[in-house]
Amino acid sequence: MKILLNNFTILLLIGIIIFFSLKSDNEIAELKQNGKKTKAIIYDKKSVGSKGTIRSFYRFKVNESYYEGFDDNENLVKFDSIIIIYAKNNPELNRSKEFVDNY
């Protein structure tokens, strides 16, 4: 019974990894095909995780509403502007143009 439970747990974890990998691919494909570009402003920059990743947080406006995202680009500084791409029907889905172009 313990071996069966361990095997189920491993299969479940593999399934979750595949699901999130495919979801990310689909989101980037959506942005590449139907995304809209706009300018965003960096409002904060922090070190995240144990590998020293520098994350820049940005904010942009669509139809009188503000949305946020982040980019792992250590060269950005507070108040820089970057071009981002967002989904027309869901601006919460957004990435920097550079990330989308290089994906």
Side-chain angles (χ1 to χ4, degrees), residues 59-76:
R59 185 175 291 131
F60 63 101
K61 187 176 181 179
V62 176
N63 299 327
E64 304 306 316
S65 294
Y66 286 93
Y67 298 91
E68 296 181 349
F70 65 87
D71 189 38
D72 293 341
N73 181 341
E74 63 186 50
N75 297 321
L76 296 171

Side-chain angles (χ1 to χ4, degrees), residues 6-44:
N6 286 340
N7 288 340
F8 176 75
T9 303
I10 291 169
L11 288 174
L12 181 63
L13 289 174
I14 291 170
I16 290 170
I17 291 168
I18 291 171
F19 170 78
F20 283 109
S21 175
L22 292 175
K23 181 181 178 205
S24 181
D25 289 347
N26 288 339
E27 288 175 347
I28 299 304
E30 167 69 20
L31 292 175
K32 282 185 177 187
Q33 293 172 2
N34 303 312
K36 190 166 181 174
K37 295 178 192 174
T38 193
K39 183 167 55 169
I41 304 296
I42 304 299
Y43 70 88
D44 198 9

Side-chain angles (χ1 to χ4, degrees), residues 15 23 25 31 35 38 42 45 68 80 85 87-88 93-95 101:
K23 181 181 178 205
D25 289 347
L31 292 175
T38 193
I42 304 299
K45 186 173 177 176
E68 296 181 349
D80 274 354
I85 300 175
K88 294 176 195 176
L93 172 56
N94 61 79
R95 301 285 188 276
D101 288 346

